[in-house]
């Protein structure tokens, strides 16, 4: 470590005193390695800086020159100031302006040597100016070689650490670096993929050679950049695979056996014919149950694909083997819905089902806990409190976690700390694009149900401006008269929560009083007490309410097959995946269902793309891919995911193909070299630290 120089604290670089070191630390930069593993955000070709006399309007340009004069100027608009400078090189002089940045007064001074990069504009009819250019002030001796006269890296400014400061530090750090860096990549893989060494890659990434293509650099496609990205992806995949292999060594209480009697018992509870996707997934799950190590499986399937019955059949197999099952849902409403459904389906069986949620009264709760511990209850449905709280099972064999990709991974960890190694099945209706699945769920096996049960008609989707609300109501009337039910959804975004709540409340009133007085309208929102929410939800499920106006609480999992219209208000505010989830609340039966996306004009370009995506396809996987492209991985899950790795270089969208290659290479490396359990353990440790994956499973 020491001799390579990567671990050297930045304080040992030239010009870094305690104060600057503290600034760097705040920017997340502690060591030379931190510094060198932060990519530039872009590259600028300053090898051929333009002469001022040759500038043409309409093009961005890089120039270098000295300040002849500069100063702050007021404008006619009160409070609006312009900072102006005359900058000259040996060919000519140009006016440079920065709008509304009065602090520049303290930064620039006559005589300074600058590099400027920005758009060249016409000023009046004859002269040119540079407007709001990026700037760097060159200190005299080093300026020429590091900051100009070559392709230079431009770093993101973090806190007080400027791009230029980083460039100089990187330059220094690279000079001190010894060529014998420990190589993370197996040599055969590196050579086969034609990737440069780590040392060469770090140099060429930060200070590209003269013949490098500026275009390739800015697309992060040079061999040097690809090597560093691949390195991160490969290490990440190695860790993922190591964790998987370690999990395969964990023993579980008892592998399950399947025989004809069990198959017959499954057939008895099955109310319909399974789709091919359901059959295939069930087979994969039951195969896992029969293995000696615990299952870690994700069951993906679009909304309405029928995941519940698959999970229930797996549960049945476990119960027939004398094991208990915990079935967890993200909300009480959903837990209750699952409970009713499962209890009904298991009626012809000898198994006992119980519901356990936060609102189970204390006495009943105590009783159930005792029965669970004694093993007389075979299947418990509840919220995630089920594994977190004081529940002790007699023989827990299978945990099913519904609609909770967010917590599923964490819950597995919780179980493990309790010394339990049950089979775990996580179900999600948020289809996850392949690359994300590889990273977030890299150590899970994945089953997929791609088709919907037969007889479902694809949902018709239309985006409509607010002004055409009447047409929608006309249509809704027809559906209500035919006995169907309707959802009206309002967005609830934190900062405008109050206004939105008001809008939803007013809409419920208007619909009830003026638009559909002959039907019953219910209102559901997040600020209601749990039992009030439950009452409304149940009334809607029972058909006592025909229209449900709601904020997004119905988003996950609610199953009211008779509902055939989904109206999403302010559809422009929802993400694609979220819209898709909402749409999935209808189309759950044989009725033709419709979804109206009501928007406020004017639409932003991105919102237009989202709404278009929704009208063009109903395939959840395709929607997820589009969503990822539109929003980027950071926002894909709304907030940062528990268990989402922190990458230094990888961009999950840009680097998909490299991630794939890394996954294949890492897995074949494992197969070829068969590392020892101790080596695997070490790998997992460094891996969890490096990717900051604390306790995710
Ligand atoms: P999700 O995958 O969204 O959780 P559910 O399990 O709630 O979907 O199933 C949606 C609806 O489809 C339920 O009403 C369920 O009974 C029904 N269903 C599931 N599988 C089939 C099938 N193979 N044939 C007919 N209906 C099915
Ligand atoms: Mg479901």
């Amino acid at each position: 470590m020491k001799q390579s120089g990567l671990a050297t604290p930045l304080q040992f670089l030239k010009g870094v005193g305690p104060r600057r070191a503290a600034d760097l630390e705040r920017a997340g930069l502690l060591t030379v390695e931190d510094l060198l593993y932060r990519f530039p955000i872009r590259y600028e070709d300053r090898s051929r800086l333009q002469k001022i006399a040759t500038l043409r309007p309409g093009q961005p340009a890089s120039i270098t020159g000295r300040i002849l004069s500069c100063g702050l100027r007021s404008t006619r608009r009160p409070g609006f100031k312009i900072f102006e400078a005359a900058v000259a090189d040996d060919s000519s002089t140009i006016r440079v302006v920065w709008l509304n940045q009065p602090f520049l007064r303290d930064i620039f001074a006559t005589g300074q040597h600058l590099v400027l990069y920005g758009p060249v504009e016409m000023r009046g009819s004859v002269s040119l100016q540079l407007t709001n250019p990026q700037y760097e002030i060159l200190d005299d001796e080093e300026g020429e070689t590091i900051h100009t006269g070559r392709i230079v890296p431009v770093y993101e400014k973090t806190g007080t650490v400027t791009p230029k400061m980083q460039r100089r530090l990187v330059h220094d750090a690279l000079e001190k670096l010894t060529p014998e860096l420990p190589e993370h990549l197996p040599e055969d893989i590196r050579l086969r993929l034609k990737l440069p060494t780590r040392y060469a890659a770090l140099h060429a990434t930060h200070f590209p050679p003269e013949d490098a293509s500026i275009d390739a650099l800015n697309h992060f496609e040079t061999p040097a950049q690809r090597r560093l990205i691949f390195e991160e992806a490969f290490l990440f995949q190695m860790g993922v695979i190591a964790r998987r292999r370690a999990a395969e060594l964990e023993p579980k209480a008892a592998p399950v056996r399947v025989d004809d009697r069990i198959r017959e018992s499954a057939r008895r509870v099955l109310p319909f014919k399974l789709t091919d996707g359901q059959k295939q997934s069930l087979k994969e799950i039951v195969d896992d149950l029969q293995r000696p190590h615990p299952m870690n499986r994700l069951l993906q399937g679009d909304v309405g694909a029928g995941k519940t019955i698959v999970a229930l059949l797996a549960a049945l197999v476990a119960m027939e083997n004398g094991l208990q099952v915990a079935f967890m849902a993200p909300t009480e409403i959903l837990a209750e819905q699952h409970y009713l459904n499962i209890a009904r389906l298991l009626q012809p069986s000898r198994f006992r089902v119980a519901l356990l949620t936060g609102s189970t009264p204390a006495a009943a709760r105590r009783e159930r806990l005792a029965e669970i511990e004694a093993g007389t209850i075979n299947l418990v449905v509840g919220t995630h409190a089920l594994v977190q709280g004081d529940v002790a099972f007699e023989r827990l064999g299978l945990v099913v976690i519904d609609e909770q990709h967010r917590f599923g991974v964490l819950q597995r960890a919780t179980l493990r700390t309790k010394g339990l190694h049950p089979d775990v099945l996580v179900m999600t209706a948020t289809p996850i694009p392949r690359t994300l699945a590889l990273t977030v769920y890299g150590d899970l096996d994945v089953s997929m149900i791609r088709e919907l049960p037969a007889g479902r008609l694809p949902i018709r989707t239309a985006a409509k401006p607010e002004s055409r609300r009447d047409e929608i109501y006309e249509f809704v009337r027809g559906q209500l008269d035919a006995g169907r039910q309707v959802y009206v959804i309002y967005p609830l975004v934190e900062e405008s929560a109050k206004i939105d709540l008001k809008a939803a409340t007013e809409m419920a009133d208007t619909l009830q009083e003026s638009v559909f007085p002959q039907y019953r309208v219910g209102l559901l929102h997040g600020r209601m007490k749990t039992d009030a929410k439950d009452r409304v939800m149940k009334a809607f499920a029972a058909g006592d309410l025909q229209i449900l106006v709601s904020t997004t609480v119905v988003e996950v999992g609610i199953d009211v097959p008779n509902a055939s219209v989904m109206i999403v208000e302010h559809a422009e505010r929802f993400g694609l995946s979220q819209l898709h989830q909402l749409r999935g609340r209808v189309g759950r039966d044989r009725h033709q269902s419709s979804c109206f996306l009501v928007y406020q004009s004017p639409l932003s370009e991105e919102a237009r793309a989202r709404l278009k995506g929704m009208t063009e396809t109903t395939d959840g996987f395709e929607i997820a891919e589009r969503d990822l492209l539109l929003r980027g991985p950071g926002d894909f899950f709304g907030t940062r995911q528990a268990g989402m790795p922190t990458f230094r270089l990888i961009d999950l969208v840009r680097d998909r193909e490299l991630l794939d290659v890394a996954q294949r290479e890492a897995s074949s490396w494992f197969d070829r070299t068969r590392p020892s359990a101790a080596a695997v353990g070490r790998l997992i440790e460094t891996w969890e630290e490096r990717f900051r994956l604390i306790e995710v499973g």
Side-chain angles (χ1 to χ4, degrees), residues 5 89 208 270 274 589:
D89 65 7
L270 193 60
L274 294 181
D589 213 330

PDB file of all heavy atoms in Angstrom, residues 5 89 208 270 274 589:
ATOM      1  N   GLY A   5       1.653   4.494  -3.181  1.00  0.00           N
ATOM      2  CA  GLY A   5       1.300   5.902  -3.103  1.00  0.00           C
ATOM      3  C   GLY A   5      -0.186   6.184  -3.161  1.00  0.00           C
ATOM      4  O   GLY A   5      -0.607   7.309  -2.947  1.00  0.00           O
ATOM      5  N   ASP A  89      -5.064  38.599 -26.350  1.00  0.00           N
ATOM      6  CA  ASP A  89      -3.915  37.742 -26.642  1.00  0.00           C
ATOM      7  C   ASP A  89      -3.075  38.470 -27.689  1.00  0.00           C
ATOM      8  O   ASP A  89      -3.293  39.654 -27.930  1.00  0.00           O
ATOM      9  CB  ASP A  89      -4.359  36.343 -27.083  1.00  0.00           C
ATOM     10  CG  ASP A  89      -5.118  36.340 -28.403  1.00  0.00           C
ATOM     11  OD1 ASP A  89      -5.192  37.401 -29.058  1.00  0.00           O
ATOM     12  OD2 ASP A  89      -5.654  35.282 -28.763  1.00  0.00           O
ATOM     13  N   PRO A 208      -4.816  12.965 -20.770  1.00  0.00           N
ATOM     14  CA  PRO A 208      -4.820  12.122 -21.969  1.00  0.00           C
ATOM     15  C   PRO A 208      -3.631  12.444 -22.870  1.00  0.00           C
ATOM     16  O   PRO A 208      -3.186  13.588 -22.915  1.00  0.00           O
ATOM     17  CB  PRO A 208      -6.118  12.505 -22.678  1.00  0.00           C
ATOM     18  CG  PRO A 208      -6.946  13.190 -21.651  1.00  0.00           C
ATOM     19  CD  PRO A 208      -6.008  13.809 -20.682  1.00  0.00           C
ATOM     20  N   LEU A 270     -55.873 -24.490  -5.894  1.00  0.00           N
ATOM     21  CA  LEU A 270     -55.682 -23.649  -7.066  1.00  0.00           C
ATOM     22  C   LEU A 270     -57.003 -23.315  -7.759  1.00  0.00           C
ATOM     23  O   LEU A 270     -57.684 -24.200  -8.235  1.00  0.00           O
ATOM     24  CB  LEU A 270     -54.741 -24.368  -8.041  1.00  0.00           C
ATOM     25  CG  LEU A 270     -54.193 -23.526  -9.179  1.00  0.00           C
ATOM     26  CD1 LEU A 270     -53.393 -22.362  -8.635  1.00  0.00           C
ATOM     27  CD2 LEU A 270     -53.333 -24.390 -10.092  1.00  0.00           C
ATOM     28  N   LEU A 274     -52.646 -22.013 -14.069  1.00  0.00           N
ATOM     29  CA  LEU A 274     -51.521 -21.079 -14.022  1.00  0.00           C
ATOM     30  C   LEU A 274     -51.054 -20.727 -15.433  1.00  0.00           C
ATOM     31  O   LEU A 274     -51.148 -21.542 -16.345  1.00  0.00           O
ATOM     32  CB  LEU A 274     -50.346 -21.701 -13.258  1.00  0.00           C
ATOM     33  CG  LEU A 274     -50.539 -21.958 -11.768  1.00  0.00           C
ATOM     34  CD1 LEU A 274     -49.272 -22.557 -11.175  1.00  0.00           C
ATOM     35  CD2 LEU A 274     -50.921 -20.679 -11.038  1.00  0.00           C
ATOM     36  N   ASP A 589     -59.340  -7.739 -14.476  1.00  0.00           N
ATOM     37  CA  ASP A 589     -60.445  -8.668 -14.679  1.00  0.00           C
ATOM     38  C   ASP A 589     -60.736  -8.724 -16.181  1.00  0.00           C
ATOM     39  O   ASP A 589     -59.961  -8.209 -16.968  1.00  0.00           O
ATOM     40  CB  ASP A 589     -61.668  -8.160 -13.905  1.00  0.00           C
ATOM     41  CG  ASP A 589     -62.492  -9.334 -13.405  1.00  0.00           C
ATOM     42  OD1 ASP A 589     -62.473 -10.390 -14.078  1.00  0.00           O
ATOM     43  OD2 ASP A 589     -63.152  -9.187 -12.368  1.00  0.00           O
TER      44      ASP A 589
END
